[in-house]
């Protein structure tokens, strides 16, 4: 049996998972790859007690792995975008194929990396970069290749979904749950990437590039995290029959592409509303197939390792068959990509959940509904919560019909100026994901 030699760079949560799964499932993985996958060298700054590297050469200098003539495939699992970029480019320049789980790297530097890979006829595979263990990259690139994709919407950050689920079901505190997500190995090295939506934005642009054939770029992606979300909105949303999920949404319209990441009210009847804990799910709506849903663990050691190893198997199969005939995946052949206008968030059309405090006296609500009407916004539902004894102000919640965000902003500004309204008007976008 032919052998393909792997060099693994990085022995953190994912690196250890790759090592362990490769060791445990050696026979079936080799059979599927049609060759022997041998870990020839590991580059890591420190050992990881959760995996046994005995029998494998471990070096401290990861660039030794990228330049090692005995290594065919470099597996980049160090994360970040500076040293990781240098490592991947070094590996390509030494004619290695590359497998990476690094979404920040692909989203920010994919064009440069794929250009280098293409010029050298090397493969860069990145299934684990999006949605952990869910094979969504292969689904978009291969399984759905017959389709014109209209939109995709997903829970694509396990840490934020874990936090929101725990806040929702157990009323737990944001900070406590984040610490637990870090302990479980879900969160990024810098967890602000998770909770501020940056990690989800990286994953969204990778999926959008595949879905819409556009270049990888973070420019114009509207990004909002979950740090400003208030627990009362999670429970009010439930009372109204919605779950709040942190979604990444990419939609092809006649005017261009929407790319946005933000907390979203989703009806409880929508399957994605029931996706909890560290799970991820991506809905894809396309012309031939209709709507599909891809669901599974979005982070963690072995789920992510599952995707990394699937890429290693793909590369190994290609090398074992005809190394010169591999087809560059979309996002790799830059000449085939077409830039698209990214629609500004102000021009995006959606429904809204609005919450604010207003004096409980005659005429207040009619002023507010007039402001909404003047802005051209139709109201779907309006609820006044009973106020605690002695409290003059009540909580008002409004659900709107679909409108442009700029009209909503205009109405919010006017409502905030009313003397009868206290504090800010909070709003969250609502998506029904049904067309
Ligand atoms: N921090 C990421 C998440 C890891 O929580 O989804 C997987 O990409």
């Amino acid at each position: 049996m032919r052998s393909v030699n792997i060099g693994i760079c990085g022995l953190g949560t994912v690196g250890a998972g790759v090592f362990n799964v490769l060791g445990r499932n050696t026979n079936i993985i080799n059979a599927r790859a049609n060759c022997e996958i041998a870990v020839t060298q590991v580059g890591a700054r420190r050992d990881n007690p959760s995996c046994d590297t005995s029998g494998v050469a471990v070096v401290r200098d990861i660039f030794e792995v990228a330049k090692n003539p005995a290594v065919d495939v470099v597996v980049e699992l160090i994360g970040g975008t500076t040293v990781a970029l240098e490592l991947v480019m070094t590996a390509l320049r030494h004619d290695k194929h590359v497998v990476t789980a690094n979404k920040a790297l692909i989203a920010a530097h994919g064009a440069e990396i794929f250009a280098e890979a293409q010029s050298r006829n090397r493969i860069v595979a990145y299934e684990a970069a999006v949605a952990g263990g869910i094979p969504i990259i292969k689904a978009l690139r291969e399984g759905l290749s017959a389709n014109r994709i209209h939109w995709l919407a997903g829970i694509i950050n396990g840490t934020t979904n874990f936090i929101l689920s725990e806040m929702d079901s157990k009323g737990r505190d944001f900070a406590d749950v984040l610490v637990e997500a870090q302990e479980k190995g879900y969160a990024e090295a810098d967890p602000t990437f998770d909770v501020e939506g940056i990690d989800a934005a990286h994953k969204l642009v990778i999926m959008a590039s595949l879905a819409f054939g556009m270049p990888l770029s973070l420019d114009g992606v509207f990004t909002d995290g979950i740090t400003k979300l208030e627990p009362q909105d999670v429970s009010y949303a439930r009372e109204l029959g919605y779950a709040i999920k942190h979604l990444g949404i990419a939609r092809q319209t006649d005017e261009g592409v929407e790319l946005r990441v933000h907390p979203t009210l989703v009806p409880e009847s929508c399957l994605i509303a029931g996706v909890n804990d560290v799970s991820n799910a991506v809905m894809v709506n396309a012309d031939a197939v209709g709507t599909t849903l891809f669901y599974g663990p979005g982070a963690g050691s072995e789920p992510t390792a599952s995707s990394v190893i699937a890429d290693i198997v793909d590369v190994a199969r290609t090398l074992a068959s005809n190394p010169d005939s591999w087809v560059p995946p979309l996002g790799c052949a830059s000449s085939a990509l077409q830039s698209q206008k990214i629609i500004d968030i102000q021009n995006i059309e959606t429904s809204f959940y609005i919450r604010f405090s207003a004096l409980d006296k005659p005429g207040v609500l009619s002023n507010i509904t007039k402001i909404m009407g003047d802005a051209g916004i139709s109201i779907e539902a309006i609820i006044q919560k009973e106020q605690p004894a002695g409290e003059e102000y009540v909580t008002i919640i409004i659900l709107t019909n679909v409108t442009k965000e700029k009209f909503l902003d205009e109405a919010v500004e006017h409502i905030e100026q009313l003397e009868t309204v206290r504090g800010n008007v909070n709003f969250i976008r609502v998506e029904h994901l049904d067309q």
Side-chain angles (χ1 to χ4, degrees):
M1 202 183 223
R2 195 180 175 284
S3 136
V4 169
N5 295 330
I6 307 297
I8 298 176
C9 295
L11 214 48
T13 305
V14 179
V18 170
F19 214 88
N20 289 335
V21 176
L22 275 177
R24 192 169 72 231
N25 294 344
T26 310
N27 292 343
I28 52 170
I29 291 170
N30 287 348
R32 285 173 182 150
N34 195 23
C35 65
E36 186 199 348
I37 292 173
V39 180
T40 304
Q41 197 174 36
V42 168
R45 269 185 308 194
R46 60 186 81 87
D47 295 330
N48 185 337
S50 61
C51 67
D52 176 10
T53 53
S54 51
V56 178
V58 181
V59 295
R60 296 294 169 222
D61 177 9
I62 50 173
F63 287 90
E64 216 180 287
V65 180
K67 296 173 189 169
N68 184 343
V71 166
D72 302 307
V73 184
V74 170
V75 181
E76 182 277 307
L77 302 172
I78 63 169
T81 52
T82 47
V83 180
L85 177 61
E86 209 185 324
L87 178 75
V88 165
M89 295 306 273
T90 305
L92 290 171
R93 287 176 190 136
H94 284 80
D95 288 328
K96 316 296 178 200
H97 300 277
V98 171
V99 170
T100 177
N102 192 331
K103 51 266 163 149
L105 182 69
I106 297 296
H109 300 289
E112 180 185 350
I113 291 169
F114 291 125
E116 185 68 28
Q118 200 173 6
S119 74
R120 293 177 178 273
N121 213 21
R122 299 294 105 176
I123 302 169
V124 175
Y126 52 95
E127 181 63 69
V130 181
I134 307 172
I136 186 67
I137 298 299
K138 287 177 179 47
L140 289 169
R141 200 177 57 209
E142 292 150 30
L144 297 174
S145 57
N147 288 263
R148 182 177 296 277
I149 294 177
H150 298 139
W151 56 262
L152 57 87
I155 296 170
I156 46 177
N157 182 272
T159 302
T160 46
N161 203 40
F162 182 64
I163 294 171
L164 287 178
S165 303
E166 292 289 300
M167 284 170 71
D168 186 12
S169 62
K170 301 182 190 148
R172 286 183 64 193
D173 183 63
F174 179 100
D176 277 359
V177 194
L178 176 57
V179 169
E180 191 182 335
Q182 288 174 291
E183 285 165 2
K184 287 180 179 311
Y186 302 156
E188 296 303 298
D190 176 356
T192 57
F193 274 54
D194 296 292
V195 296
E196 296 297 356
I198 302 160
D199 176 76
H202 291 149
K203 294 165 178 167
L204 186 69
V205 301
I206 295 172
M207 290 195 293
S209 173
L210 292 167
F212 307 132
M214 54 196 276
L216 287 156
S217 170
L218 288 159
D219 293 345
V221 183
F222 176 81
T223 307
D224 193 15
I226 59 166
T227 49
K228 296 189 291 291
L229 203 60
E230 295 192 30
Q232 58 178 320
D233 291 318
V234 176
S235 38
Y236 288 146
R238 279 286 172 210
E239 283 181 38
L240 293 161
Y242 292 83
I244 298 186
K245 293 293 175 191
H246 189 244
L247 295 190
I249 300 170
R251 189 189 302 271
Q252 178 76 68
T253 75
D254 292 343
E255 285 77 44
V257 171
E258 294 179 12
L259 290 176
R260 48 194 171 106
V261 168
H262 51 70
T264 313
L265 266 75
V266 183
E268 282 171 352
S269 56
C270 182
L271 283 174
I272 214 166
V275 172
N276 291 315
D277 305 321
V278 72
S279 298
N280 278 195
V282 182
M283 289 176 84
V284 183
N285 178 271
D287 65 343
V289 71
T291 302
T292 51
L293 176 67
F294 301 86
Y295 166 82
S301 178
E302 293 204 357
T304 312
S306 164
S307 288
V308 171
I309 295 169
D311 276 345
I312 295 174
V313 168
D314 265 1
V315 176
R317 270 185 194 142
T318 308
L319 300 186
S321 53
N322 183 352
D324 296 321
S325 72
W326 70 277
V327 180
L330 192 61
C332 188
S334 48
S335 54
L337 301 175
Q338 288 199 328
S339 290
Q340 295 220 44
K341 182 182 168 214
I342 309 300
I343 300 176
D344 188 89
I345 192 73
Q346 290 286 301
N347 285 319
I348 277 167
E349 294 192 358
T350 189
S351 311
F352 293 90
Y353 157 103
I354 305 170
R355 174 181 54 79
F356 53 91
S357 284
L359 270 183
D360 187 18
K361 66 176 203 188
V364 171
L365 268 188
S366 66
N367 276 342
I368 287 160
T369 52
K370 179 165 185 323
I371 289 173
M372 303 286 277
D374 289 349
I377 301 170
S378 161
I379 292 174
E380 165 94 16
I382 185 159
I383 297 168
Q384 177 176 320
K385 304 299 293 181
E386 211 173 299
Q387 80 266 48
E391 175 59 82
E392 288 180 293
Y393 285 83
V394 285
T395 300
I396 311 276
I397 293 158
I398 297 176
L399 285 178
T400 75
N401 282 324
V402 172
T403 183
K404 279 204 172 156
E405 184 143 338
K406 62 181 169 195
F407 301 138
L408 191 276
D409 276 356
E410 191 184 303
V412 163
E413 202 183 315
H414 284 154
I415 295 171
E416 284 178 343
Q417 283 163 4
L418 293 175
E419 282 180 1
T420 49
V421 168
R422 182 173 64 183
N424 293 335
V425 174
N426 300 282
F427 69 85
I428 305 174
R429 297 166 190 88
V430 181
E431 292 288 341
H432 292 89
L433 305 175
D434 54 2
Q435 57 182 356

